[in-house]
Amino acid sequence: MDLSDAQRLDWLRLIRTEGIGPRNFRQLINRFGGAAAALDALPDLTQRRGRPVTPPSRMQAEDEVAALAQLGGVFLASGDAAYPTLLRATDAAPPLIALRGDPTILSRPAVAIVGSRNASAAGGAFTDRLARALGEAGVVIVSGLARGIDARAHKATLATGTVAVMAGGHDKIYPANHAALAEAILDAGGAVLAEMPMGWQPRAQDFPRRNRIVSGLSYGSVVVEAARRSGSLITARYALEQNREVFAVPGSPLDPRAEGTNDLIRQGATLVTEADHILEVIGPIIERGAVPEAAPARKRPDFADQPDFWEELDFEGGPTAPPVEWMLEPEPEPGDERTRILALLGPGPVATDELARAAACEVRMVQTILLELELDGRIERQGSGMVALARR
C-alpha cells in the first residue's frame, strides 16, 4: 500500500538520520510500528546507548522533497506499489529511492550490464551488441552511469529502455560529463535512480552501495570486463547473495581487464558470448513470475562475508558494522587536468577551491577528478564541505 505524504516525510527523516541504514531502519519500524513513532523514540533510545542522534526536521525533509521535485523527481518507498519488486526482495533494499523518469520501466524485466571504466575497444563493441540484442528482446538494461562499459550499455538501449543508478544525489551526477547521458536516458523514457540525498557528492564507499541496487533491480548481472580488484565483481557478489544469476564474458588471458571475468567463469558464472545465453537462463524465471529471494547457501567461497555498508546504530545488542574497505578498479591514465592537480597536492591538506584556482580548472571538474583519485587510492579526504585532501 502506498504511503501518505506525511508518512513519506517521516520515512525520509528516519533514513536520513545519522547512523540509520536499511537494517536498523526496518528494526525501528518493526519495533515501534511506524516511522513517526520511531522518530519520537529515537532521541531517548540513542541517548541511553551513549550515541545520541537528532533526526532531521520536517522542514529539512520537505526541502529535500521540493528540491527533487524541481528536477522532476519523486521518492518511492519500499511500501509503494511502484517500488521495484525485485529490489524490494533484497535484504538491504533502500527504504526510499529517488526516481526521475518513467516509473513503469521499473516493472519490466531487467538485466544489469557492468564492467571496466577503462574498457577495451572490443569490450565496448561487444557491450553495444549484447545490450542492443537484450533490449530488442524486451529486457531493460540497468547499469551505474559510469564511464566505459556502463555508458556503452546505457547508450545502446536508449530506444528500448535503460535505468541508471547513481552513487550520489540527483544533482551530483558522477562523472560530471555524463549529465547529458542522464538527460538522454530520461528523454528516451528511461529512469535515473539515487539512494543518497540531494547535494550528496559521491565517495568511494558509495559505489558499492549503488552496486547492490544495480544487481537488486535485475534478474541477472553481466560482467563484460573486470580486473581482479574491480568494483564490477562487487556487483557479481551481490547478485549471488540476492539469488540472481551471474554472467561473465570471457576475455584474453593476456588482458588484465579479463582476469576478473575469467575467474567468475571458473567459479560457476554462466559464460556469455551472445544475448541468447542470457535469455535462455532468465526467460523461464520471468515466465514463472518468480521473485528471487536472498539465498546465502549460493555464496561462492571467493565472495567472503563482508560487513554492511553503513556504520549503523545497534538496537538489538549485536555488534555494529565497522567501516568497509572495498575493492576498487584502477582508473585510466590521467589527463592534463589530473596531472596538474596531482602536482599541486602535497602532504598537507588543501581546499578544493584553492586547487581549482591553482590548476585553472572549474571547481566541478576538480571535484570529479578528486573523486577519481580517491577511488584509485591516490588521495584521502580529510574534511567535508570545502573538501581537504592529502597525498597518500
Side-chain angles (χ1 to χ4, degrees), residues 45-66:
L45 183 63
T46 56
Q47 178 71 46
R48 291 198 302 269
R49 292 185 173 269
R51 187 177 168 183
V53 300
T54 302
S57 68
R58 179 170 291 272
M59 183 176 294
Q60 287 173 309
E62 290 172 344
D63 287 345
E64 184 175 351
V65 171

Side-chain angles (χ1 to χ4, degrees), residues 15 20-28 91-93 95 308 310-316 318-321:
I15 195 60
I20 302 299
R23 179 179 66 92
N24 50 25
F25 179 94
R26 287 172 177 79
Q27 289 176 358
L28 291 166
D91 288 337
D308 293 333
W310 290 267
E311 187 179 0
E312 295 184 316
L313 297 171
D314 176 58
F315 300 110
E316 294 186 345
T320 56

Side-chain angles (χ1 to χ4, degrees), residues 362-378:
E362 293 183 358
V363 171
R364 188 172 181 180
M365 172 66 74
V366 172
Q367 289 173 335
T368 297
I369 292 171
L370 292 178
L371 177 56
E372 292 174 351
L373 292 173
E374 183 187 8
L375 286 169
D376 199 23
R378 303 186 68 176

